[in-house]
Amino acid sequence: MVLDEEVDEVTAPGTLGEFGVLPNHVTFLSSLQPGRLSYKRGGRVYVLAISGGFAEVKDNIVTVLADSAEFASEIDVERARAALQAAEESLRTLAAMDSAFTEVLAARQRAQVRIEVASSVVVINR
């Protein structure tokens, strides 16, 4: 478990597009793609990099089962940059029909998300 908090709002990267959840939201289930998961608590925004999974909203509880989740401070940016470079080099030599193409494309997307989250400082006080 990474987080168990009362929050004001959650925004997550659904596979059909980003979605937001506010109190008393309708029940639903969504698959997640690699991206930024953010939540607001007390006027402040917190951001995590996730690499896919599922989100369920039910009875004012958002449950996220993610393949991985990291706060910006936990991300090793140099390692993420190395992973991005390795994925991009592999993609230059792979054909779209190659069995490894989809896996390498996903690795590139995860690395990009990790770099983006680690490089951004998002704090909104209202």
Side-chain angles (χ1 to χ4, degrees), residues 3-5 7 20 33 42 49 63 66 88 94-95 111 114-115 120 126:
L3 182 68
D4 183 6
E5 304 249 351
V7 302
Q33 66 179 358
T63 303
E88 288 178 343
L94 292 172
R114 293 179 75 230
I115 292 167
S120 67
R126 292 190 180 149

Side-chain angles (χ1 to χ4, degrees), residues 27-102:
T27 298
F28 78 96
L29 179 67
S30 176
S31 55
L32 300 170
Q33 66 179 358
R36 296 168 55 103
L37 182 138
S38 65
Y39 63 95
K40 291 181 183 177
R41 185 181 67 217
R44 188 162 183 196
V45 177
Y46 300 86
V47 181
L48 294 96
I50 64 167
S51 62
F54 297 91
E56 176 189 52
V57 178
K58 183 177 181 184
D59 298 329
N60 279 323
I61 297 173
V62 178
T63 303
V64 175
L65 300 173
D67 298 329
S68 69
E70 299 172 280
F71 285 97
S73 62
E74 301 170 335
I75 296 171
D76 181 339
V77 178
E78 291 309 313
R79 186 169 156 239
R81 286 187 181 129
L84 177 60
Q85 183 177 357
E88 288 178 343
E89 288 173 9
S90 293
L91 286 172
R92 283 194 275 280
T93 63
L94 292 172
M97 301 304 286
D98 193 306
S99 61
F101 184 83
T102 302

Side-chain angles (χ1 to χ4, degrees), residues 98-115:
D98 193 306
S99 61
F101 184 83
T102 302
E103 184 178 320
V104 173
L105 199 59
R108 181 179 74 177
Q109 186 177 16
R110 285 190 304 271
Q112 287 173 322
V113 166
R114 293 179 75 230
I115 292 167

